[in-house]
Amino acid sequence: MSYNNILSDHDNGITTITINRPSKLNALNKETIAELHDAFAKADQEASTKAIIITGSGEKAFVAGADISEFADFSVEEGAVLARKGQEDLFDYVENLSTPVIAAVNGFALGGGLELAMAAHFRLASDNARMGLPEVSLGVIPGYGGTQRLPQLVGKGRAMEMIMTAGMIDANTALDYGLINHVVSQEELVPLAEKIAGKIMRNSSVAIAAGIKAINAGFTDGINGFDAEIDAFGTCFGTEDFKEGTTAFLEKRKAAFPGK
């Protein structure tokens, strides 16, 4: 599939997906969401992809929000469908991928942009990044998981303040809040993401996928995260990666995980 709004490149086990709408500050529209779903799906299904980096083109924005012109005249029913389809096709989908997803936030991450970054498994940011959920200033609320993921990451009180004020926080504040893991210069951002991805790639992809599933289970209503961990832990014992990892440890050599 050829893309109009994104770029997808694969190199040395890392697939880098870049939202490429610089004239719109990489704003999300329906077509971009569909293209992102396709690119994430292909990367996750490709055995040679061990980590995915999501970032934005240019130096101003990761994603500066949703394309408001697409839904300004929507009805109640159309608005609900927009949110549900977006969550299913992209935001929930990314969160539950078995391949680790790193968001490299290279500028403004507002509204749907911050929601996309929060759907990734963790986030890095450049020192010029600004993050926020400004939806209430438009008479609406975050609809792509922002009211759920933000309090999970920064706590209920801070999430309430950010959403109610519609304000932005800078990268250092986001680091202090626990919203992002690292702050670096713009030039260092993608190299740092690649460096962390390289560390991830040295480990068992099967175990990492199990870890993602177990962690997410703890934030899912009706699921006991501890039980999910026990089940996933036990399942690991039946994998070739477990056999290779434990054998390599006992033989004092570097593991060569088959990914099975």
Side-chain angles (χ1 to χ4, degrees):
M1 177 179 178
S2 61
Y3 301 122
N4 296 319
N5 303 295
I6 68 171
L7 306 171
S8 184
D9 299 296
H10 180 79
D11 186 46
N12 292 326
I14 302 170
T15 294
T16 301
I17 300 171
T18 305
I19 301 162
N20 189 35
R21 301 184 75 209
S23 65
K24 299 288 187 181
L25 294 180
N26 302 324
L28 296 177
N29 59 6
K30 291 180 183 178
E31 184 180 36
T32 304
I33 288 174
E35 290 182 358
L36 284 168
H37 172 85
D38 184 81
F40 275 111
K42 287 180 177 176
D44 190 51
Q45 292 161 10
E46 176 54 60
S48 62
T49 294
K50 302 302 182 183
I52 300 169
I53 298 170
I54 176 71
T55 193
S57 63
E59 299 182 352
K60 292 183 178 180
F62 173 72
V63 173
D67 196 331
I68 297 168
S69 63
E70 278 198 339
F71 59 80
D73 60 350
F74 271 20
S75 67
V76 171
E77 292 76 14
E78 289 172 321
V81 169
L82 178 72
R84 186 176 301 281
K85 183 169 176 56
Q87 288 191 29
E88 291 175 351
D89 289 353
L90 183 58
F91 300 86
D92 291 351
Y93 185 78
V94 167
E95 182 177 64
N96 291 295
L97 281 183
S98 59
T99 305
V101 179
I102 305 169
V105 180
N106 58 306
F108 289 110
L110 304 176
L114 181 55
E115 289 172 305
L116 178 57
M118 290 192 295
H121 297 127
F122 58 92
R123 291 143 294 284
L124 322 174
S126 56
D127 51 18
N128 68 314
R130 299 292 183 272
M131 285 155 263
L133 295 175
E135 285 87 348
V136 298
S137 68
L138 301 173
V140 70
I141 68 168
Y144 289 143
T147 65
Q148 305 305 299
R149 293 190 179 96
L150 186 62
Q152 290 173 3
L153 291 165
V154 307
K156 182 179 177 181
R158 283 173 170 161
M160 286 283 194
E161 180 180 353
M162 286 180 65
I163 290 171
M164 289 179 187
T165 62
M168 291 186 290
I169 60 173
D170 62 23
N172 287 321
T173 302
L175 180 65
D176 181 59
Y177 281 8
L179 183 55
I180 58 175
N181 291 21
H182 303 278
V183 178
V184 293
S185 69
Q186 187 133 96
E187 294 75 18
E188 296 172 298
L189 181 62
V190 171
L192 176 60
E194 292 172 343
K195 180 180 178 181
I196 295 173
K199 292 180 179 180
I200 290 170
M201 290 161 56
R202 293 199 290 266
N203 302 311
S204 163
S205 60
V206 175
I208 287 169
I212 291 170
K213 185 176 181 180
I215 291 168
N216 284 342
F219 294 93
T220 304
D221 287 342
I223 296 180
N224 185 306
F226 292 97
D227 287 342
E229 179 185 278
I230 290 166
D231 290 343
F233 179 78
T235 299
C236 288
F237 280 68
T239 67
E240 293 182 29
D241 275 13
F242 175 76
K243 183 181 294 184
E244 167 60 15
T246 52
T247 300
F249 177 83
L250 294 172
E251 294 178 353
K252 298 182 180 180
R253 60 174 174 81
K254 185 177 179 180
F257 292 110
K260 300 178 181 177

